[in-house]
Amino acid sequence: MNDGVWAAPGRVNLIGEHTDYNDGFVMPFALPHTTVATVARRDDGVLRLHSADIDGDGAGPFELRLDELAPGGGRGWTDYPAGVVWALREAGHRVGGADIHYESTVPAGAGLSSSAALEVVTALALNDLYELGLERRYIARLCRRAENVYVGAPTGIMDQMASACCTDGHALHLDTRALSLRQVPFDLRAHGLELLVVDTRVKHSHSEGEYGRRRAGCEAGAAALGVNALRDVPNDALEDALARLDDPEVRSLVRHVVTENHRVERVIAHLEAGEVRAIGPLLTEGHASLRDDFHVSCRELDLVVDTSLTAGALGARMTGGGFGGSAIVLTESSSAHLVAQSVQEAFASASLDAPRVFTASPSAGARRLS
Ligand code: ADP
Ligand code: MG
């Protein structure tokens, strides 16, 4: 028996990178790519999970008893949906068992947030099936808790908020301190523009330790400046703040975070004024800051950005945590093909594996399909 079908999207972050753990601003939009869950309620306290996207025995079906769910991670992909059920129950919501079959078009591990899509689709389905009446921002927070505590991955709130709360034709301005949201019009097609996502298909293995080091450096910067988080340093106080920091590494981390928050605000102003092309240089500036100040880019991401700009793109940047994953490229629709081709050729000339390139139009957040 199928009780319903739900979908939740992956996302890309338009601007606002490494700002989330500094209480700052991010601006993701939902991809047309979704994780779809076909879900049937069951009343025997069992969660039965199957994924069409995992090969062989790893796909399941796996049967987990709800009263035996325990945080800790390390049990593979079922930790994500099991973590959602655990977080719901731990918060006191009465969810019972379910049969869930997943099928996704979100590339996994590409920095496009397949993990949040998997969590959010699970939470939304259970919210509807068990008539929990939960608000989307709350659902996003529970999903983050599932990922942080149950799976054991120290992520911010952006991915789950984007998957749960984005709307078609908009980017989502998220203030990660207040957890307030604003839908900012981002209609590329109406302006004759395209946004390409280039998944480099590389993930450099040192990324986790490097992430922790950046996070600690930002915290050290905030402490040295006597603020709760780097969000509290306004852009016009930056020079002053930098002059008070001795450690050159901390100084450049602070410079990135402060200027990046300011770039988010400038991007919003342009989009709200209908000046979509004007965000191109800000994207490129953001990339330079991530590359030169935050040191989280890599050869493959730089190659996408440099090649796209040479081929006539309006702007380009790495997106996501860095050290691989994906980049985004803003281009006139008329030259999108040429830009994509130039990137493919550049990768081939550098003897790198072919990247996956696709067009991303800002799409809807999680929803019930039937
Ligand atoms: P990202 O969120 O950037 O795609 P993560 O490492 O955070 O990368 O999450 C990827 C993991 O999420 C996969 O390794 C897998 O465990 C799980 N996952 C995502 N989508 C699916 C799916 N459709 N079926 C099963 N597991 C999935
Ligand atoms: Mg993820």
Side-chain angles (χ1 to χ4, degrees):
M1 184 188 66
N2 289 339
D3 289 348
V5 182
W6 286 259
R11 62 96 191 100
V12 288
N13 192 20
L14 180 62
I15 189 87
E17 215 66 76
H18 288 279
T19 47
D20 59 343
Y21 50 87
N22 292 294
D23 276 5
F25 305 133
V26 296
M27 210 166 158
F29 66 87
L31 292 172
H33 306 65
T34 59
T35 297
V36 173
T38 305
V39 189
R41 218 177 122 136
R42 54 190 284 170
D43 296 318
D44 59 356
V46 169
L47 184 63
R48 189 169 190 270
L49 303 168
H50 180 263
S51 172
D53 305 298
I54 305 287
D55 292 332
D57 289 347
F62 298 104
E63 295 203 350
L64 312 174
R65 290 209 51 84
L66 298 188
D67 49 17
E68 289 172 4
L69 298 178
R75 290 152 294 196
W77 71 268
T78 59
D79 275 348
Y80 295 88
V84 169
V85 175
W86 169 82
L88 282 165
R89 286 165 62 87
E90 197 219 23
H93 303 296
R94 294 175 170 275
V95 286
D99 278 341
I100 313 183
H101 172 76
Y102 299 98
E103 210 162 337
S104 184
T105 55
V106 186
L112 303 175
S113 219
S114 69
S115 61
L118 181 58
E119 291 151 12
V120 170
V121 77
T122 306
L124 191 69
L126 295 172
N127 175 60
D128 289 355
L129 280 180
Y130 284 96
E131 298 175 358
L132 305 178
L134 305 179
E135 197 234 325
R136 280 171 184 255
R137 278 188 298 176
Y138 179 79
I139 287 178
R141 282 164 53 203
L142 277 184
C143 289
R144 181 203 183 176
R145 185 161 163 74
E147 186 150 347
N148 289 171
V149 180
Y150 197 96
V151 180
T155 60
I157 188 68
M158 165 166 68
D159 299 354
Q160 294 83 2
M161 281 284 187
S163 189
C165 302
C166 279
T167 58
D168 197 20
H170 294 86
L172 184 75
H173 176 219
L174 169 63
D175 177 332
T176 63
R177 172 177 281 169
L179 292 186
S180 59
L181 307 175
R182 179 147 130 231
Q183 305 288 344
V184 182
F186 188 42
D187 187 348
L188 293 160
R189 201 165 306 150
H191 288 85
L193 297 172
E194 237 173 79
L195 196 131
L196 303 175
V197 175
V198 182
D199 169 12
T200 63
R201 298 182 193 255
V202 295
K203 187 77 208 162
H204 296 295
S205 56
H206 55 289
S207 60
E208 263 174 43
E210 295 290 335
Y211 175 85
R213 186 183 163 125
R214 302 297 181 285
R215 237 183 129 129
C218 288
E219 276 162 25
L225 294 169
V227 292
N228 281 331
L230 292 181
R231 145 75 177 275
D232 296 312
V233 181
N235 191 62
D236 55 16
L238 177 61
E239 289 311 317
D240 239 27
L242 295 179
R244 289 165 53 206
L245 296 169
D246 302 326
D247 183 334
E249 185 177 328
V250 170
R251 210 181 298 136
S252 62
L253 294 176
V254 169
R255 184 163 48 223
H256 167 72
V257 173
V258 173
T259 58
E260 185 77 352
N261 276 325
H262 187 52
R263 274 185 289 276
V264 175
E265 292 176 321
R266 287 154 78 202
V267 164
I268 292 170
H270 283 309
L271 291 181
E272 291 193 329
E275 302 157 356
V276 184
R277 279 175 183 74
I279 74 171
L282 292 169
L283 302 182
T284 306
E285 205 182 280
H287 183 77
S289 179
L290 288 161
R291 182 191 59 209
D292 303 335
D293 276 341
F294 222 70
H295 299 286
V296 289
S297 190
C298 62
R299 172 183 174 221
E300 294 84 356
L301 290 167
D302 291 343
L303 187 61
V304 176
V305 169
D306 296 344
T307 309
S308 304
L309 294 173
T310 305
L314 298 163
R317 64 181 283 270
M318 54 159 278
T319 184
F323 305 111
S326 299
I328 55 173
V329 180
L330 182 70
T331 163
E332 301 290 345
S333 299
S334 53
S335 47
H337 183 72
L338 175 74
V339 170
Q341 203 174 10
S342 305
V343 170
Q344 293 288 9
E345 283 168 9
F347 271 61
S349 306
S351 303
L352 296 167
D353 289 341
R356 171 168 34 205
V357 185
F358 60 89
T359 298
S361 46
S363 301
R367 61 219 178 251
R368 186 171 192 157
L369 298 181
S370 67

